[in-house]
Amino acid sequence: MAVPERTDHPEDHRIVGIVGAGQLARMLCEAASALGVGTVVLAAGPDEAATQVAGDVIVGSATDLAALGALAARCDVVTFDHELVDLDAVRAMEARGVAVRPSSGALLAAVDKAEQRRAFALAGLPVPAFEVLDGAAEHDLAALRGLAARVGGVPVVKAARGGYDGRGVVVGTTLDEAADAVTRWRGQGVAVVAEAPVAFGAELAALLARRPGGDTVAWRAVETAQVGGVCREVHVPGALDDETASRAAELARRVAELLDAVGVLAVELFDTADGLVVNEVAVRPHNSGHWTIEGATTSQFENHLRAVLDLPLGATDLVAPAVCSVNVFGAEGAVAADDLAAALAEPTAKVHLYGKAPRPGRKLGHVTVLGDDAEVVAAHAWRAAAALGTPVPATARGAR
Ligand code: ADP
């Protein structure tokens, strides 16, 4: 793969280094290509999603300081595709003067759910009642039972580090099951967050992009639908009225300022009868923002690049009254690529496949449809996703 030529004037040809080479890195590389920005990815293996489109690939571990050093040597700024990083290694890069965006300080909140809950509660952001369980077994289980009694329900328990897409989260079980999960994670030396189960009407996500000086642009907040802790569909504007959407955007802005985040930041929220509650934050492009590729003037991927390169941010306006994105998942025996023709027979569907080998339950791509009517765009998006082999959940909107 060709390495973009470095010149004596780095301003002429910027290169972004990305830690991780999954689908987010792949879509960052696609956006970089349009801007004439070079890309280098640090991939765990040679066949990861972004390796097919990156300007250059380094194969190595995201937690290995030598591999990170090799990446930093080839780019102007280092950014991230995922949060499964070693913060000490990231801090070491910063200490060497490498431009790391977002910084290790902002990453900490995204990497560690205990740190995140504490920081947000301290800042007065609305979070569920919680306890951090990081002590002796009896103390932890007593704190779990105490929280259950206080909130009048079985607490949701979350591994503070290492979970994603619902892995590392136990929701809505018995107190015994929650206690078992706590014992298991504590046995692995992982701190646990136990928190009140939130009765929400809808789950939302608010995305923004922020430059180093603090300039910020925000997209319209969206409604997301999860199955088993995994995002399946995104609706813009969805069930969200304008006032709720702007309150969600305002909370995201407060989070971004608190963390001094640079790049795209996504805040996942619960919409409850008592107002919005913050679930979690990601300091990178986010699954809830894939719709922005076609549905907004500037995509989350382009604005992430602009932000980490400290370039002017692009407008975030919605370009259609209704947008729906549906994730494409592998099913038993399904080969998504073979079904591409069937998906493309849905003429309004914009299909994105990430070049991953299909496996049951594996996220392989997404489909976005824009239009005038929420039901119609959802139905068309689901039709294309189903043609690609995605199992359609009973809850799928517009697919019934
Ligand atoms: P992950 O980091 O793996 O995405 P999350 O913390 O976002 O995990 O939790 C995954 C899903 O579990 C959420 O999207 C939501 O549906 C559910 N969930 C998480 N926390 C709570 C809570 N306190 N109350 C109710 N449901 C929750």
Side-chain angles (χ1 to χ4, degrees):
M1 245 164 275
V3 182
E5 280 277 305
R6 293 296 302 267
T7 68
D8 292 338
H9 306 284
E11 293 302 309
D12 292 341
H13 190 135
R14 295 174 173 87
I15 300 178
V16 173
I18 305 169
V19 177
Q23 61 260 19
L24 300 177
R26 182 181 172 109
M27 289 183 270
L28 280 171
C29 292
E30 289 167 355
S33 165
L35 291 176
V37 167
T39 47
V40 189
V41 295
L42 176 58
D47 52 2
E48 284 203 283
T51 60
Q52 299 154 7
V53 298
D56 194 15
V57 177
I58 298 170
V59 176
S61 162
T63 58
D64 174 32
L65 193 50
L68 291 169
L71 178 72
R74 306 256 272 269
C75 64
D76 299 297
V77 59
V78 170
T79 191
F80 301 88
D81 160 89
H82 60 72
E83 283 117 13
L84 303 175
V85 294
D86 173 18
L87 286 177
D88 286 335
V90 176
R91 288 186 195 108
M93 273 200 294
E94 288 172 329
R96 286 184 200 167
V98 175
V100 180
R101 291 172 178 159
S103 68
S104 57
L107 277 168
L108 174 61
V111 167
D112 191 314
K113 287 182 174 168
E115 292 288 345
Q116 186 186 125
R117 281 278 178 262
R118 285 186 181 124
F120 289 4
L122 204 63
L125 289 158
V127 293
F130 72 100
E131 291 279 349
V132 174
L133 311 180
D134 58 0
E138 281 141 48
H139 173 270
D140 287 345
L141 293 178
L144 179 70
R145 281 191 294 270
L147 179 68
R150 235 174 35 250
V151 302
V154 177
V156 174
V157 290
K158 305 180 173 184
R161 289 188 182 221
Y164 62 97
D165 271 356
R167 277 169 267 197
V169 175
V170 175
V171 186
T173 54
T174 63
L175 193 54
D176 282 348
E177 278 174 296
D180 286 349
V182 171
T183 305
R184 192 169 65 246
W185 289 324
R186 294 296 300 124
Q188 295 161 359
V190 178
V192 175
V193 177
E195 63 187 32
V198 177
F200 53 81
E203 291 195 63
L204 322 179
L207 261 78
L208 56 76
R210 186 168 182 271
R211 285 177 74 173
D215 271 3
T216 301
V217 293
W219 288 268
R220 196 192 196 285
V222 303
E223 183 187 359
T224 63
Q226 274 63 228
V227 177
V230 184
C231 178
R232 302 298 302 266
E233 45 189 317
V234 175
H235 300 275
V236 199
L240 238 67
D241 57 59
D242 289 345
E243 199 202 313
T244 309
S246 34
R247 272 190 282 121
E250 182 50 32
L251 283 172
R253 213 176 279 269
R254 280 173 62 193
V255 169
E257 271 163 32
L258 178 70
L259 303 181
D260 194 17
V262 171
V264 166
L265 172 139
V267 176
E268 297 173 21
L269 302 133
F270 299 125
D271 190 12
T272 78
D274 302 322
L276 294 176
V277 174
V278 174
N279 178 24
E280 65 169 349
V281 66
V283 288
R284 52 165 169 73
H286 193 252
N287 197 164
S288 66
H290 294 350
W291 67 273
T292 59
I293 297 174
E294 291 90 8
T297 305
T298 313
S299 79
Q300 63 164 344
F301 299 102
E302 180 173 343
N303 264 345
H304 184 78
L305 295 167
R306 293 187 190 212
V308 301
L309 289 166
D310 202 10
L311 295 169
L313 299 172
T316 51
D317 313 70
L318 221 74
V319 301
V323 185
C324 175
S325 272
V326 168
N327 282 335
V328 173
F329 286 88
E332 207 71 58
V335 180
D338 288 353
D339 301 325
L340 184 59
L344 297 182
E346 190 59 61
T348 56
K350 304 303 290 182
V351 172
H352 297 255
L353 291 173
Y354 308 146
K356 294 166 145 184
R359 274 203 307 267
R362 192 177 197 202
K363 203 184 292 175
L364 304 176
H366 73 270
V367 177
T368 299
V369 177
L370 275 58
D372 293 325
D373 182 89
E375 287 296 314
V376 172
V377 294
H380 289 195
W382 271 112
R383 225 155 40 211
L388 289 163
T390 307
V392 181
T395 50
R397 210 157 308 166
R400 278 155 285 180

